[in-house]
Every structure is written in C-alpha cells, then in structure tokens.
C-alpha cells in the first residue's frame, strides 16, 4: 500500500517507522529539523520492542510532492486537524481513506466537514511515545495498538488491506464492530489520565495512590460515560468499570501528551479532552462538575500558551 503519514510525532512517527521497516511504501509529511533529520539519517525509533532506523520512500513538507495515496495516517494534534485537513488535499484520490488517531471524539466530524464522509475512517491508538529529538522517536512503554474502521461500520477492502499492512508490521490492530463506541471508550480513559495528570503534574502512579485524586479520575470516567449515554453513543453497558480497571493497570511512571504539553507551557488538547466533556455535557444536559473544575483550572494556562495574554513576569 502507498501510505502517507501526515505528522510524524509520537504515534505517527512510530507507525511510519514500523510500516516502512516492513516494506510498505511510506511517505512522511513533516517539517523543520525533524524533516531534515529524517531526510539525512532516516527515522530513528528507539523502542522497548527493539530499536531500528527506517527509511521512508519520501520525506517532505509538501503533500504535492507525494500525490494521491491509498491511506493517510493523520498524526497531528487534535487542535491542528482543521489546518491539516486542508493541507492534505493533494494526498486524496478517489478511494483514499484518512485515518485520524487523535484523542477526543470530534476528529471524524471535523474531517468529514472538509473532505467528505467517503474518505474518513474512525480510529484511535495507544502508545507511550514521543519525539526525543529531530528524526528520533522514543517508544518508552506499552504495547502499541490501533482500532479503526469505516464510520458506517461496513467491511470494505481498503480497511481490510490496511489491517493486514499493520499486522505485517507487527502492530496490534483490529477493526471493532462499532468504531464510534471504541472511540468513546478510549475517550473516557484518556480524559481521566490527561485531566488528573495535567492538574497534579505528577506521574500516574503518584496521583493514583492518593484516594482524593483517584476519586477525581473515577469521576471523570463516569461523567464521560453519562454524557455518552445521553448522546445515544452505543457504548457497552457499565463500560466505566472496564475503563477504571484499565486505569489501575497503567504503568506508574507514565505521563501522557496533554499533561506534558501543559507542564511545558505548550498548547495542548485540553479543549478536545476535558473541555469536550464540559461542552458536550452542556449540550446533553448532563452535569460534569469534576471536568468543569479541571477544565476551568487549566484554561488560563492554555490560553496563555496560545498567546491570548501578554506575558506577565
């Protein structure tokens, strides 16, 4: 398959490396020093599953250099989707599919508004990885996994072919029976880890060990579940119990991307994670007090990171 990875960060870079290493025709869309390093030395991936260097077919900052592909893996941050959707148009052919792997539950609707529903898949992924330096991805923990599918949940050759490509690359992947349900179930999980982690600014094992902050994480999951039910999302019965069990199994030393971005003063996914629960809760008429508290507590720093305030020293 001809696959373009648009945004070679923690998850996009890891997937690009594994797919290129397995022999797929991979184009990487990146920029700056990261792009220069990939062009010069290949994409270095240090992984708990084995280190390697992969060489994509092309690495560029211009999608027009690549042209239409079979699949676009969208690895940008959730708040960058609108701009990315416009920029990746040269990659779209008649049957190209775009696989978003962002946290949150609104990526599909954003992309379909720009590209049309026929080109957009639903998707989610999980991996503890990040850019360690230009051209260098660090996979620090967790078994990488992907879930994806057509937004109408029908079986089509393009998704089956993509599944086989991921499996050949040694990536744990599946097509669930209902992709919307799977996206929301991951959303329930990640908003708890991100929200409490960003607020406390400590690794998972510390906030999980304290009854007070653990209770906040549990409340975030249950509030998200209540919003999903009110919006008629087909999540599994008592899914929150399974998500809470997953939280208990997290590696104690870990942090997640929203937490790291907030701790380092960068723009984050606050609006599409805890902010989305608040916003969708208002739409559905569901109270979300813990998410309200976390969102409003972190909002001043988020706005500052986005340049809404003059720097005050």
């Amino acid at each position: 398959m001809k696959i373009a990875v648009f945004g070679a960060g923690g998850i996009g870079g890891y997937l690009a490396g594994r797919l290129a290493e397995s022999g797929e025709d991979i184009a990487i869309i990146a920029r700056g020093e990261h792009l220069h390093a990939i062009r010069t030395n290949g994409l270095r991936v240090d992984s708990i599953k084995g280190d390697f260097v992969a060489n994509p077919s092309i690495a560029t900052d211009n999608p027009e250099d690549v042209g239409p592909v079979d699949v676009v893996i969208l690895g940008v941050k959730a708040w960058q989707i609108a701009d990315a959707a416009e920029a990746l148009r040269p990659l779209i052919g008649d049957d190209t599919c775009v696989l978003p792997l962002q946290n949150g539950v609104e990526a599909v609707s954003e992309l379909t508004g720009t590209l049309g529903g026929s080109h957009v898949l639903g998707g989610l992924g999980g991996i503890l990885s990040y850019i360690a330096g230009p051209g260098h991805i660090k996979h620090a923990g967790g078994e990488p996994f992907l879930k994806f599918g057509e937004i109408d949940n029908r079986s089509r050759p393009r998704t089956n072919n993509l599944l086989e490509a991921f499996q050949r690359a040694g990536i744990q992947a599946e097509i669930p029976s209902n992709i919307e349900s799977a996206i929301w179930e991951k959303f329930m999980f990640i908003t708890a880890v991100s929200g409490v982690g960003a607020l406390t600014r400590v690794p998972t094992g510390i906030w999980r060990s304290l009854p007070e902050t653990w209770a906040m994480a549990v409340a975030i999951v249950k509030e998200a579940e209540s919003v999903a039910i009110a919006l008629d999302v087909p999540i599994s019965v008592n899914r929150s119990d399974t998500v809470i069990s997953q939280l208990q199994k997290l590696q104690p030393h870990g942090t997640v991307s929203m937490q790291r971005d907030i701790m380092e003063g960068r723009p984050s996914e606050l609006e599409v994670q805890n902010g989305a629960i608040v916003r969708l809760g208002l739409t559905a008429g569901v109270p979300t007090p813990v998410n309200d508290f976390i969102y409003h507590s972190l909002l001043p720093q988020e706005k500052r990171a986005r340049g809404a305030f003059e720097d005050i020293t």
Side-chain angles (χ1 to χ4, degrees):
M1 300 185 76
K2 189 173 183 180
I3 301 172
V5 177
F6 193 103
I11 188 167
Y14 179 83
L15 294 176
R18 288 293 181 196
L19 289 165
E21 186 188 33
S22 70
E24 301 297 335
D25 184 358
I26 300 298
I28 290 179
I29 315 298
R31 60 185 180 182
E33 293 183 1
H34 194 46
L35 172 61
H36 177 72
I38 294 170
R39 282 174 165 170
T40 304
N41 300 310
L43 178 63
R44 173 184 169 189
V45 179
D46 291 348
S47 170
I48 60 173
K49 297 174 68 66
D51 302 344
F52 63 95
V53 175
N55 292 289
S57 301
I58 182 174
T60 180
D61 58 3
N62 185 0
E64 292 184 357
D65 293 341
V66 179
V69 296
D70 298 309
V71 180
V72 180
I73 297 175
L74 189 59
V76 300
K77 297 287 189 179
W79 50 271
Q80 298 171 317
I81 287 178
D83 290 340
E86 290 291 345
L88 61 77
R89 285 184 183 275
L91 304 172
I92 304 298
D94 291 341
D95 197 39
T96 301
C97 57
V98 179
L99 173 58
L101 296 173
Q102 287 68 36
N103 295 316
V105 293
E106 298 162 304
V108 169
S109 60
E110 282 194 78
L111 288 169
T112 55
T114 301
L115 302 175
S118 65
H119 290 297
V120 182
L121 306 179
L124 62 106
I127 183 176
L128 179 56
S129 61
Y130 52 90
I131 297 177
H136 181 193
I137 302 297
K138 176 71 173 180
H139 168 211
E143 177 68 31
F145 73 89
L146 297 173
K147 296 182 182 181
F148 65 94
E150 301 286 347
I151 56 178
D152 61 6
N153 295 309
R154 294 183 179 180
S155 177
R156 294 187 62 183
R158 66 184 187 181
T159 46
N160 292 327
N161 292 339
L162 181 58
L163 178 64
E164 292 173 0
F166 284 132
Q167 291 173 340
R168 285 193 298 269
I171 298 165
Q172 180 180 314
E174 65 174 290
I175 300 175
S177 58
N178 190 294
I179 189 59
E180 182 185 19
S181 174
I183 290 170
W184 266 86
E185 289 168 0
K186 197 251 176 130
F187 181 58
M188 292 161 59
F189 171 87
I190 196 63
T191 51
V193 182
S194 295
V196 180
L199 193 67
T200 62
R201 306 191 177 206
V202 296
T204 301
I206 296 179
W207 62 253
R208 192 174 54 196
S209 69
L210 299 174
E212 297 85 354
T213 42
W214 173 247
M216 291 177 69
V218 170
I220 292 170
V221 173
K222 290 187 177 294
E223 288 177 10
E225 180 182 48
S226 296
V227 171
I229 291 170
L231 294 175
D232 295 323
V233 177
I235 61 172
S236 307
V237 176
N238 296 324
R239 184 60 186 177
S240 60
D241 293 339
T242 302
V243 173
I244 291 166
S245 177
Q246 293 170 342
L247 292 175
Q248 293 171 326
K249 298 174 184 177
L250 278 170
Q251 295 184 12
H253 65 272
T255 59
V256 291
S257 61
M258 187 183 108
Q259 175 181 357
R260 294 191 295 270
D261 285 340
I262 286 176
M263 290 173 66
E264 295 174 21
R266 298 190 296 259
S268 78
E269 294 185 340
L270 177 65
E271 288 289 346
V272 301
Q273 293 197 43
N274 303 92
I277 296 178
V278 172
R279 184 173 62 254
L280 295 171
L282 288 171
T283 299
V286 175
T288 58
V290 176
N291 281 284
D292 289 355
F293 171 73
I294 288 176
Y295 173 62
H296 294 142
S297 296
L298 296 173
L299 189 58
Q301 179 171 323
E302 181 67 22
K303 287 187 173 294
R304 183 180 186 181
R306 293 179 181 274
F309 306 116
E310 292 184 7
D311 196 21
I312 300 173
T313 57

